[in-house]
Amino acid sequence: MSFLKNIDNSNYNLNNLTYKTFICKDCTKKDKDKEYELKLNDNSPKDLKNFGYISINYMKNPFVYVTTPLMVCLFGVNKNTNNMSLQFTNYKENTEMLNFLNFIKNIEFSQMKYLNLSENDTDLYISQIKYDKEGKYDPNLSVKIPFKYNKFECDIKNENYSSMNIFNINNFTKMQCDIYIDNIWKWNDKFICKWKCKKIYIK
């Protein structure tokens, strides 16, 4: 039985992505105390003053799960943010990597369209695809390791199927991951949808 889900991005038809906008009943409350309700017939979520979040569904599934190609984790896991950067290595020559990059891009375009962002306000959306300013290196995908109740909600194994510590991942480690998205949130007046990691398989 495979450790990873092995869900290829080609399995998705992004026309089947659906979104639901939830508004915050009382935005003055702390995050843990906030309550949300579904907003019906909303054509421009970006303009809502009481924006809560947007749920993402694929058909009847409340998550979009996908298995990455074999990627390079550039700098291990950041202990302050629990983020890691997975590089789209050699994407110009590697068809599998290019397809995965385009898949991520198209999901982000779909979200921006639902938010009703125009070309003039695309800066209100924080892409998870990161480029270096000088264009010397291949882009990378920012991925979050979920952490709740004082533990990581992510399984990690090496090719011997031995469990590992998240923070023992070295720079430039090659890995495949099961990652997912579920909601679009607003952070510092900008919209963000973080890819989260459920499983890591180190090769």
Side-chain angles (χ1 to χ4, degrees):
M1 185 176 179
S2 176
F3 174 64
L4 298 174
K5 289 180 176 290
N6 292 316
I7 301 176
D8 190 84
N9 59 84
S10 63
N11 293 343
Y12 284 99
N13 178 352
L14 298 190
N15 291 325
N16 291 327
L17 281 175
T18 57
Y19 302 95
K20 292 181 180 178
T21 300
F22 290 81
I23 56 176
C24 184
K25 292 183 178 179
D26 185 353
C27 295
T28 64
K29 290 185 176 181
K30 295 181 179 180
D31 287 346
K32 65 182 181 67
D33 298 322
K34 287 180 178 177
E35 297 180 350
Y36 303 95
E37 63 183 9
L38 182 64
K39 173 70 173 176
L40 300 176
N41 302 321
D42 180 58
N43 295 321
S44 188
K46 70 171 183 178
D47 298 323
L48 287 172
K49 293 183 179 180
N50 56 345
F51 177 89
Y53 67 94
I54 296 170
S55 67
I56 304 171
N57 297 268
Y58 185 79
M59 302 176 76
K60 294 183 179 181
N61 298 316
F63 302 95
V64 177
Y65 264 104
V66 68
T67 304
T68 71
L70 184 63
M71 302 178 79
V72 174
C73 180
L74 295 176
F75 314 113
V77 177
N78 186 307
K79 293 182 179 180
N80 295 319
T81 63
N82 297 333
N83 274 18
M84 60 182 181
S85 299
L86 302 181
Q87 189 178 57
F88 297 98
T89 308
N90 202 29
Y91 73 96
K92 292 180 180 178
E93 288 78 30
N94 184 326
T95 302
E96 181 185 17
M97 195 68 74
L98 178 61
N99 289 341
F100 183 63
L101 173 58
N102 287 333
F103 170 75
I104 301 294
K105 283 183 178 179
N106 289 332
I107 283 185
E108 293 194 343
F109 291 151
S110 172
Q111 294 173 9
M112 294 167 74
K113 181 178 179 181
Y114 178 78
L115 285 163
N116 198 30
L117 297 177
S118 67
E119 292 183 1
N120 296 325
D121 52 19
T122 55
D123 61 329
L124 294 178
Y125 181 89
I126 303 175
S127 173
Q128 298 309 293
I129 303 171
K130 309 300 180 182
Y131 297 86
D132 77 284
K133 294 180 180 179
E134 297 180 358
K136 292 183 178 180
Y137 305 103
D138 289 329
N140 63 80
L141 178 66
S142 178
V143 177
K144 184 94 172 175
I145 310 292
F147 187 83
K148 289 183 180 179
Y149 307 114
N150 207 33
K151 67 176 183 178
F152 288 104
E153 295 186 330
C154 178
D155 295 328
I156 175 172
K157 294 186 182 297
N158 59 25
E159 57 186 353
N160 297 319
Y161 280 81
S162 299
S163 297
M164 295 180 58
N165 186 302
I166 290 285
F167 293 120
N168 286 341
I169 298 174
N170 297 319
N171 294 355
F172 308 112
T173 296
K174 292 183 178 180
M175 60 175 63
Q176 272 189 288
C177 304
D178 283 337
I179 61 176
Y180 67 95
I181 49 175
D182 50 4
N183 298 315
I184 302 170
W185 295 91
K186 202 169 186 179
W187 182 73
N188 286 348
D189 293 324
K190 295 188 177 184
F191 298 96
I192 186 168
C193 180
K194 293 291 297 184
W195 285 95
K196 301 167 189 173
C197 191
K198 187 65 176 177
K199 290 185 177 181
I200 299 173
Y201 181 54
I202 294 178
K203 295 194 175 182

